[in-house]
Amino acid sequence: MKKNWLNGMLIPFFLLCITLPLLLADFQGGEISAGENRYLATFPTAKRGMIAWRDGLENWIGDNAFGRKLGLRLTASADYWLSGQHGDNVIEGKEQWLFLLPPYDYAEWQNTNRPSEKTLALWSEQYLDIQKGLESEGIQFLLCMWPRKYTVYPEMMPDNLKRLEGPSNYELIRRSFYAHPQLHFVEPYDELTAAKKNGLTYSKARDTGHWSNYGAFLGYRVLMEKAKELIPELRVLTEADFHISEQTFETKLDNGFSTTEQDVGYALKQNNANADKSFFERSQLTMADRWQSYQYYTNTDATLPKAIIVGDSYMWMFMLDNLAQSFSELVFIHIDDIAILEPLSRIIRPDLVVFAGLGSAVGLILTRVNAEE
């Protein structure tokens, strides 16, 4: 009798264990997870079909189930006490700076994966071919490269992470591209480095891998000033177009780590752009981007130029609303979705195509482009 009673209790207990994490989950989702350097998945809708809804539901459960945060905190504490790391691939530098340093970044930081002169020449040649191909269709092309956090703040990296002497991976790439003046190329390393005396151009600890709002605005300006050389009628936003506020962020981790940092907030005084993600469903475009960062904007001024941007989180997390003020239609797709660039171009008929990558990711973009040919 007692055994039957226990068996009877096991079933509801098992069901409770399964359903409780879902009942107490964050049903909205979308929070930024600083320790993981990404946004958490939002609750899916059925607009994109049942298969996409099922995949989205799995991502939402994995990111937002009750108890996940506690599990991450316990894991982070164990990682710190056992390895000295603040979570997956996050190391502590000088003056409480945190850096995201996955395995491939170790090689880039240590200068052990410098591209050869032959590789650099091939990259320049291939990008020039892409540029010429677009120009033959009346489309301007712009290549952008963003420096990594440790590229701009090498002095804050820990001393025990040695590196080979000589020019960095980033420096070699930018020298090679600048050596081809016919290539429409731009990058903001000098501007971001010079502006360090005015404020943090990269997040100290709140975001372990990205620039600050201040740094992102500098990056936006560098990109758009170059784009304006190609399309003179483009409007480039200035500080006068924003309500600017000082921001203070505090970062506290469960292992006792605590620090603060200053940043600047930029709020548009007038937003003339509207985001409409349903564009991709209407256009029957199949997206591979697991972050679902793709976005489509329209502007109240239909006479403005049109643009497609292929990029990464340095853009979609920081720039898109600002960029959308200058184009009648603006489409952003992640590097992972470069396969749809050709059909997307037939739909949008852009005046400008921008490729933007983080450091040596400019080589990864070419790998993806070549795979589609």
Side-chain angles (χ1 to χ4, degrees):
M1 189 74 178
K2 184 176 181 181
K3 185 176 181 180
N4 291 337
W5 179 83
L6 287 173
N7 289 338
M9 290 297 295
L10 284 175
I11 295 175
F13 177 76
F14 177 72
L15 293 174
L16 182 65
C17 290
I18 293 176
T19 58
L20 189 61
L22 298 180
L23 293 174
L24 299 179
D26 179 0
F27 276 86
Q28 182 175 355
E31 288 185 1
I32 185 170
S33 178
E36 298 171 275
N37 202 44
R38 66 183 181 90
Y39 285 102
L40 300 180
T42 56
F43 193 82
T45 66
K47 291 182 178 180
R48 296 182 59 80
M50 286 305 299
I51 294 177
W53 183 87
R54 183 197 62 197
D55 293 341
L57 182 64
E58 291 177 358
N59 292 333
W60 171 80
I61 292 173
D63 278 359
N64 298 282
F66 177 73
R68 180 180 186 273
K69 290 182 179 180
L70 176 60
L72 288 177
R73 287 197 295 267
L74 292 174
T75 301
S77 296
D79 282 343
Y80 180 73
W81 294 115
L82 292 174
S83 66
Q85 289 191 346
H86 296 277
D88 286 345
N89 303 314
V90 176
I91 64 169
E92 183 174 347
K94 299 172 184 175
E95 299 179 18
Q96 295 186 300
W97 277 68
L98 298 182
F99 291 87
L100 181 68
L101 207 69
Y104 57 83
D105 268 354
Y106 268 106
E108 191 152 330
W109 161 254
Q110 294 174 327
N111 292 330
T112 58
N113 68 340
R114 292 174 178 144
S116 66
E117 291 185 9
K118 181 178 180 180
T119 296
L120 291 170
L122 179 61
W123 287 356
S124 298
E125 179 183 335
Q126 289 179 324
Y127 274 120
L128 280 169
D129 287 343
I130 292 171
Q131 179 175 303
K132 291 174 183 177
L134 289 171
E135 287 175 342
S136 69
E137 299 177 15
I139 302 170
Q140 294 289 351
F141 173 73
L142 178 57
L143 173 64
C144 303
M145 182 171 71
W146 313 126
R148 298 181 189 274
K149 184 175 178 177
Y150 54 73
T151 303
V152 177
Y153 283 91
E155 70 276 13
M156 293 303 175
M157 288 287 282
D159 289 332
N160 63 327
L161 289 183
K162 305 299 183 182
R163 64 194 317 201
L164 298 177
E165 295 183 1
S168 67
N169 185 307
Y170 186 89
E171 180 62 25
L172 289 172
I173 296 173
R174 75 170 190 153
R175 283 183 194 175
S176 176
F177 287 158
Y178 279 137
H180 296 79
Q182 66 273 40
L183 176 63
H184 302 155
F185 169 70
V186 71
E187 50 79 36
Y189 172 80
D190 292 337
E191 289 80 1
L192 292 167
T193 302
K196 286 160 61 174
K197 63 181 182 295
N198 302 322
L200 295 178
T201 56
Y202 282 71
S203 172
K204 175 184 176 183
R206 176 174 177 259
D207 190 316
T208 58
H210 290 104
W211 43 22
S212 61
N213 295 328
Y214 175 52
F217 184 71
L218 294 174
Y220 159 83
R221 291 278 302 178
V222 169
L223 185 158
M224 286 299 290
E225 290 291 353
K226 185 66 176 181
K228 189 174 177 64
E229 294 179 15
L230 305 176
I231 305 177
E233 64 268 28
L234 274 184
R235 176 195 175 200
V236 182
L237 301 179
T238 68
E239 290 186 341
D241 294 301
F242 298 87
H243 296 292
I244 300 176
S245 59
E246 294 184 357
Q247 298 176 324
T248 300
F249 296 106
E250 183 177 17
T251 301
K252 285 187 175 182
L253 303 180
D254 295 292
N255 53 39
F257 177 93
S258 178
T259 189
T260 59
E261 60 190 88
Q262 307 298 316
D263 200 358
V264 180
Y266 296 87
L268 283 164
K269 291 180 179 178
Q270 182 174 346
N271 185 359
N272 296 319
N274 178 60
D276 179 14
K277 217 178 187 75
S278 65
F279 161 83
F280 298 91
E281 179 187 3
R282 296 196 307 271
S283 302
Q284 298 182 328
L285 296 169
T286 301
M287 315 304 290
D289 173 14
R290 62 186 183 277
W291 293 284
Q292 300 182 21
S293 59
Y294 45 87
Q295 191 57 273
Y296 170 78
Y297 291 84
T298 54
N299 197 294
T300 54
D301 187 347
T303 66
L304 297 174
K306 301 177 182 181
I308 296 175
I309 297 176
V310 181
D312 54 24
S313 57
Y314 270 60
M315 301 198 73
W316 66 263
M317 289 178 66
F318 294 90
M319 282 193 198
L320 294 187
D321 287 348
N322 296 346
L323 290 167
Q325 306 308 309
S326 302
F327 300 96
S328 60
E329 292 181 75
L330 174 73
V331 183
F332 173 84
I333 59 173
H334 193 272
I335 294 169
D336 289 349
D337 277 323
I338 203 165
I340 71 162
L341 180 59
E342 185 174 343
L344 183 61
S345 296
R346 290 197 295 267
I347 297 170
I348 298 297
R349 300 186 179 278
D351 302 285
L352 174 68
V353 170
V354 177
F355 283 8
L358 184 61
S360 57
V362 293
L364 173 64
I365 294 174
L366 287 173
T367 301
R368 301 285 173 83
V369 171
N370 294 335
E372 298 305 318
E373 294 179 350

